[in-house]
């Protein structure tokens, strides 16, 4: 449900310019006809034209300021009408800064001086109101000084609130980032402990069950040992899935890409200017989802490093399907640009942890003026 404050703000933003225009128009007309000011000897058509122009200028002041400043000067010199000047002074304090504000004050001084000269020339009530020393000081203070100070105060308050809002948002972002980092560190610590303790224990169970399956002579014992071994291997697979989730800062909103998205990744790299080719060796077999996702990450990280450090080098992505797993090889040749080839950075360090978590190994070394990234990923069973 929309709050009353939001509705009120919308109404003010929409209708305040129209209301201000109507008030200024009425005030100029009333001042020129003598209702609230000095009656002007100007023709009624001129008075109406100046009043309408002043109201229009006040209504569009958010988009254009100079019409209001111009009509305020004309209204004061011709009709001794103060309403446009009050609005102009407020807007000057609210919107002008530095040199522009100084120029406005100089213009105000010239207009007031011109008003004094007009009052002296016209005489009568106009001279008494706008050309005597005391009234000039009072008009300057009430019609220029006070609105200007109010505008400056409103602007200062807005700037202060904006600065406080920005500071609060920045502190909130920093606090969220700090909390995310602490959560990520704790999740990583838990994952490492689970890998070092639980995975090791389950691996021992699998090994001992396999040994019992081979050495036992009782068929029931052999069957039980085989069941324990198979259950333990499945538990290791599930454990790796859990550890993979724990090592992420947040659960993925969408499924992570796997080998079926590898061609798209290579196509994106080619579109970015890399010369990449793909080669598959061996008989392609169905792989566990964790192996496919890790293989995809290896290729993505390797191509990212090539794009950063050897964008003009020939690069080959090779997938070797082995009886017990998958070997991923990404190799790039020398770079004609003369840039230094990368070592194992933070991305490769995190990737090595992911590969080792599956029981595999990752190699990232310079070879023959190029660079080689090789990952061996066992299918299942290795701790």
């Amino acid at each position: 449900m929309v709050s009353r404050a939001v509705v009120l703000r919308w109404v003010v933003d929409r209708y305040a310019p129209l209301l201000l225009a109507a008030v200024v128009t009425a005030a100029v007309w009333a001042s020129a006809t003598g209702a609230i000011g000095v009656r002007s000897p100007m023709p009624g058509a001129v008075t109406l034209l100046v009043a309408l122009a002043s109201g229009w200028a006040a209504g569009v002041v958010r988009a254009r300021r100079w019409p209001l400043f111009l009509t305020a000067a004309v209204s004061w010199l011709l009709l001794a009408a103060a309403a446009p000047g009050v609005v102009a002074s407020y807007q000057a304090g609210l919107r002008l800064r530095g040199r522009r504000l100084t120029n406005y004050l100089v213009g105000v001084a010239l207009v007031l001086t011109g008003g004094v000269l007009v009052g002296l020339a016209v005489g009568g009530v106009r001279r008494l109101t706008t050309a005597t020393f005391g009234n000039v000081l009072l008009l300057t203070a009430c019609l220029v000084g006070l609105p200007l100070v109010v505008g400056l105060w409103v602007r200062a308050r807005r700037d202060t609130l904006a600065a406080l809002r920005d500071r609060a948002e920045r502190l909130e972002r920093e606090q969220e980032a700090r909390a995310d980092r602490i959560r990520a560190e704790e999740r990583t610590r838990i994952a490492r402990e689970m890998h070092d303790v639980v995975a090791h224990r389950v691996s021992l169970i699998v090994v001992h069950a396999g040994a019992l399956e081979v050495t036992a002579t009782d068929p029931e014992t052999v069957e039980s040992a085989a069941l324990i071994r198979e259950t333990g291997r499945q538990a290791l697979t599930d454990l790796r899935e859990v550890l993979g989730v724990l090592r992420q800062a947040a659960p993925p909103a969408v499924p992570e890409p796997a080998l079926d998205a590898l061609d798209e990744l290579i196509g994106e790299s080619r579109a970015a200017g890399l010369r990449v080719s793909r080669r598959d060796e061996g008989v392609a077999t169905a792989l566990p989802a964790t192996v496919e996702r890790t293989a995809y990450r290896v290729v993505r990280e390797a191509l990212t490093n090539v794009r950063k450090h050897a964008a003009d080098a020939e690069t080959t992505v090779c997938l070797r399907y082995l009886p017990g797993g998958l070997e991923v090889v990404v190799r790039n040749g020398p770079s004609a640009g003369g840039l230094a080839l990368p070592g194992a950075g933070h991305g490769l360090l995190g990737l090595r942890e992911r590969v080792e978590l599956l029981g595999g190994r990752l190699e990232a070394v310079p070879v023959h003026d190029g660079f080689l990234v090789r990952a061996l990923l066992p299918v299942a069973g290795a701790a």
Side-chain angles (χ1 to χ4, degrees):
M1 180 179 293
V2 182
S3 63
R4 291 183 179 179
V6 174
V7 174
L8 180 61
R9 188 170 185 176
W10 178 84
V11 171
V12 171
D13 290 340
R14 183 176 179 86
Y15 295 106
L18 296 177
L19 179 61
L20 179 62
V23 170
V24 170
T25 301
V28 173
W29 178 263
S31 177
T33 55
I36 59 172
V38 180
R39 184 178 180 85
S40 174
M42 300 297 293
V46 175
T47 301
L48 180 61
L49 179 63
V50 174
L52 292 176
S54 299
W56 171 81
V60 300
V61 70
R62 293 183 180 180
R64 290 173 288 184
R65 292 186 295 269
W66 69 266
L68 178 62
F69 297 156
L70 178 61
T71 55
V74 172
S75 298
W76 181 253
L77 293 176
L78 292 183
L79 308 177
V86 173
V87 179
S89 295
Y90 172 78
Q91 292 294 332
L94 184 65
R95 301 176 184 274
L96 300 185
R97 299 175 184 269
R99 186 176 179 180
R100 292 184 176 181
L101 182 58
T102 301
N103 293 338
Y104 174 79
L105 294 176
V106 172
V108 167
L110 294 176
V111 171
L112 290 177
T113 302
V116 171
L117 296 178
V118 171
L120 292 175
V122 173
V125 179
R126 176 70 182 267
R127 177 177 182 178
L128 179 64
T129 305
T130 62
T132 58
F133 181 75
N135 283 345
V136 170
L137 292 180
L138 182 62
L139 289 172
T140 302
C142 295
L143 305 183
V144 179
L146 182 59
L148 185 69
V149 171
V150 173
L152 291 172
W153 177 79
V154 172
R155 187 182 70 185
R157 184 173 180 272
R158 288 181 179 178
D159 293 343
T160 301
L161 291 177
L164 291 175
R165 189 181 301 110
D166 292 340
R167 181 180 179 184
E169 291 176 355
R170 185 174 64 253
L171 291 176
E172 184 177 358
R173 289 194 299 268
E174 292 176 355
Q175 185 177 5
E176 291 178 355
R178 190 181 302 111
D180 291 340
R181 185 173 63 253
I182 293 174
R183 283 195 295 267
E185 292 175 354
E186 184 65 17
R187 291 163 72 98
T188 302
R189 183 186 65 81
I190 294 173
R192 287 175 178 171
E193 290 182 357
M194 291 181 65
H195 177 261
D196 294 342
V197 179
V198 180
H200 177 67
R201 300 291 186 186
V202 176
S203 299
L204 290 179
I205 294 174
V206 172
V207 171
H208 286 295
L212 181 60
E213 182 182 4
V214 173
T215 58
T217 57
D218 185 9
E220 293 184 359
T221 303
V222 173
E223 183 179 356
S224 299
L227 179 60
I228 294 173
R229 179 178 58 82
E230 188 61 30
T231 303
R233 294 176 62 176
Q234 185 61 41
L236 284 175
T237 302
D238 296 339
L239 181 59
R240 293 190 190 101
E241 294 280 354
V242 173
L243 295 181
V245 173
L246 282 176
R247 286 180 177 273
Q248 299 173 4
V254 296
E256 294 186 11
L259 290 181
D260 55 354
L262 189 57
D263 288 335
E264 181 180 355
L265 175 64
I266 294 176
E268 293 175 354
S269 299
R270 289 172 180 165
L274 294 184
R275 293 179 291 171
V276 187
S277 60
R278 175 181 174 178
R279 185 175 71 253
D280 292 358
E281 298 178 1
V283 179
T285 57
L287 299 172
T290 51
V291 173
E292 289 200 6
R293 289 197 296 265
T294 303
Y296 179 89
R297 283 174 173 263
V298 170
V299 177
R300 183 176 63 185
E301 180 65 23
L303 292 180
T304 299
N305 288 337
V306 172
R307 188 161 54 247
K308 288 181 180 178
H309 304 285
D312 57 341
E314 290 280 353
T315 306
T316 303
V317 176
C318 179
L319 300 182
R320 295 192 180 100
Y321 292 89
L322 307 176
L326 176 68
E327 185 180 24
V328 182
V329 180
V330 181
R331 181 172 181 174
N332 65 271
S335 172
L339 297 176
L341 290 172
H346 294 293
L348 290 177
L349 288 176
L351 197 59
R352 178 173 282 109
E353 287 189 4
R354 179 174 287 271
V355 171
E356 292 177 352
L357 191 62
L358 294 179
R361 64 177 183 271
L362 178 72
E363 181 183 12
V365 293
V367 289
H368 303 299
D369 296 329
F371 202 80
L372 173 70
V373 176
R374 179 189 290 118
L376 181 61
L377 306 172
V379 173

